[in-house]
Amino acid sequence: MRRPIDIVYNMTSVCPHDCALCCVDATQVTRKGDYVHIRTKGLSTEQLVRQQKSSESIYETAARVLQGCDLELSLEQKLRVIEHIDVDYVRLDISGGDPLLITDNFRVLKSASAKLGRNNITVTATGAGMARIDPSELVSLMCEFNFTYDCASIDEVADRPRTYASRNLALGRELAKLGVATRAEFPVTRATSAPDHVERLYMNLHEAGIHKLLLMRLFTVGRGHVAAGKIPTAEEYWTVIAQLRALESEFGLPKVKLQCALRHIEGRPADAVVNPCDFVRESFGLTPRGVLLASPWAINHHGEPLDEAFVLGNLVETPLSAILNSPRVNEIRDRANENFGHCKIFAWQFSKRGSSFERLFDKTDPLYASRFAESAAVE
């Protein structure tokens, strides 16, 4: 049987937060008196819109503005995207921004759950979005709830608003009590990799009953495109991984998982046949405009696709089956092992090849390129 594929659907860019390292460059929406304050394009473009309907939230107003500029899809178009998911081996993560801030998105979530089945739906959101819905209803529509958790206390801001992580953890705790699987996501920076911080972070999750902890690389995409100096070294990643596995061995939960971009750090076994990088083979991104990307991380600092090399098609216009069977997708799959284990986002960013498409297959992911080159030289 075919392995499932995962699609991270950033259904909206609307978000109340202004996280400095936001990998999708979410649109920050806040209130200024009688106006809705909308910040886009790396938070550099600001727009004030008077709220016309008293019954409408500032987030709904912002979503309408973005739809009017063709930056997001209408409800009808979002439902068409779900209709165009016409293969039966898809797991869909409803994400954002914060998808739960927009009423229409909950209708789309219901449609997706009905079509694909609850066990194939996950949701990634924040405490702000969850405050607007009934948690028990959400639990009936999904199998797992994901949230970012990368600072153990409000005094360790970690490039986030002050209460961002603590509110997310409180939400994860509540949903875990309701019986839904929960996964915390920890994109590691040099500042958050200190052993004392890592231990407290893990124990907070353990005490909250969180089931999984996904350890992630820091990507220099979205608003994090200027964060190269925050990226841990291979040794720092190794130290965090070893520490978290020791804590898992002692306490049991949460179970520690490595993001695909980190899995090759343990090397390539002689008999390895499955590339740890799941680019196109198992993982895709879907933008608020319905553009299907070869990776959920292929987003630039203005919230647009990182490059045409990552664009596969548009699910508003084309069924998923047709895109997955296209010559472009087949070529990427056929060539994926040319840089076995390398994350293709980092490979593309560091490659010097002249063709943008060819950069995907270069052995230039800095986490692996130097280490394996040194190993080969020793041998």
Side-chain angles (χ1 to χ4, degrees), residues 118-173:
R118 172 183 178 272
N119 289 334
N120 289 313
I121 301 294
T122 63
V123 173
T124 302
T126 72
M130 272 298 300
R132 301 173 54 81
I133 65 171
D134 178 358
S136 62
E137 185 175 10
L138 178 64
V139 168
S140 70
L141 300 173
M142 66 175 185
C143 66
E144 183 178 81
F145 181 79
N146 305 323
F147 62 96
T148 299
Y149 188 69
D150 54 5
C151 42
S153 78
I154 60 175
D155 296 319
E156 294 160 306
V157 176
D159 301 293
R160 307 285 181 186
R162 186 169 173 80
T163 60
Y164 175 85
S166 58
R167 290 185 67 186
N168 287 355
L169 180 61
L171 172 58
R173 180 187 290 109

Side-chain angles (χ1 to χ4, degrees), residues 321-333:
S321 59
I323 297 175
L324 294 182
N325 289 312
S326 67
R328 182 180 183 82
V329 170
N330 286 328
E331 180 179 1
I332 292 173
R333 286 191 183 126

Side-chain angles (χ1 to χ4, degrees), residues 344-363:
K344 289 183 168 50
I345 296 291
F346 282 99
W348 181 88
Q349 288 178 321
F350 283 87
S351 176
K352 303 299 183 183
R353 291 180 178 177
S355 163
S356 182
F357 184 71
E358 289 298 320
R359 287 162 63 183
L360 295 173
F361 310 104
D362 206 353
K363 297 178 181 179

Side-chain angles (χ1 to χ4, degrees), residues 5 7 84-87 90 292 315 318-325:
I5 63 171
I7 300 177
H84 278 169
I85 299 177
D86 60 344
V87 296
V90 171
L292 188 69
L315 274 187
T318 309
L320 179 61
S321 59
I323 297 175
L324 294 182
N325 289 312

